[in-house]
Amino acid sequence: MLYWAGTQLTSRAPCNYSSARSPIHERKSEKVIGKFTTYSDLYKFIRFDRRDGILQVTIHNQGRSAVWSASPDGIHAELGDAFYRVGRDPENRIVIFTGTGDEFLTQLDMSGGEEINTQYWDRIYKEGKDLLQNLLEIEVPIIGAVNGPAFIHAELLTLSDIVIASDRAAFADKAHGPGGVVPGDGVHVWWPMLLGPNRARHFLLTGEEISAEEGKRLGFVAEVVPHADMLNRAWEVARELLAKPPLMLRYTRAAMTQHIKRRMLDDLGYGLMLEGMGIFSLLGK
């Protein structure tokens, strides 16, 4: 028999220690996954820089502005895994997410040569869920530092707790509706939450561009700063946040993202499957 806080606890069956995974073993595994040295140089298209608990996550393509690729070794595959590891590193107190050069993401690379079939979309389905769900599982404040036009996966930046945009930045979703693709990989959830249902449907169907200043007026951008000052301002805000109690920061992030996680849990996988069906219809499959 066991006693906890004056309450008698009984066990109906003995624990099989030989086959059960120990909680201590699980915690040790998490520590290995979340150790900075295990992921700091792991990815081809993501660069990490950590100072005083502030982790800057920068996407790039050979040191230039990132190019979105859904190939098995492309950035689509890397980011979800990277977010998982970042979220399990207890040394990360604040995260700054940004891009390289004068663009965050404006280019698609569709040269992978893969056959688009059920096996292909099964991988995209898994990676697409990891991308947003693992991002939302990072339980420290995230600052989205928008270094320029974000026309592909702009939701990754706007899901940040604080969005600081260059005065050259703009937001759009040009990877879906404009090309005849269902905007189903989470953008169908997030943009209506930001813009309202009617403005969001127009935004997603037409590829409308929203400037940084308009984004601030609409409420999803916190600050618009001169292009040259954007990253410095993000670090300045990160250092201000760093002075606050660590658990206050962690639990505030958890509290403020819970409803978003619920919406993604309900609708993200459904949207990805609709997107895949639409793509198959374009290919005559």
Side-chain angles (χ1 to χ4, degrees), residues 86-100:
V86 167
R88 279 151 184 78
D89 186 342
E91 300 300 318
N92 294 327
R93 295 275 310 279
I94 312 287
V95 172
I96 297 172
F97 183 43
T98 191
T100 303

Side-chain angles (χ1 to χ4, degrees), residues 64-119:
R64 300 185 294 273
S65 294
V67 176
W68 192 258
S69 168
S71 65
D73 59 349
I75 193 171
H76 190 275
E78 289 192 347
L79 264 178
D81 187 74
F83 290 150
Y84 180 85
R85 293 170 183 272
V86 167
R88 279 151 184 78
D89 186 342
E91 300 300 318
N92 294 327
R93 295 275 310 279
I94 312 287
V95 172
I96 297 172
F97 183 43
T98 191
T100 303
D102 293 333
E103 299 175 347
F104 177 73
L105 263 177
T106 64
Q107 299 180 66
L108 281 168
D109 179 6
M110 304 301 291
S111 62
E114 290 181 274
E115 180 184 357
I116 299 178
N117 53 28
T118 54
Q119 288 74 29

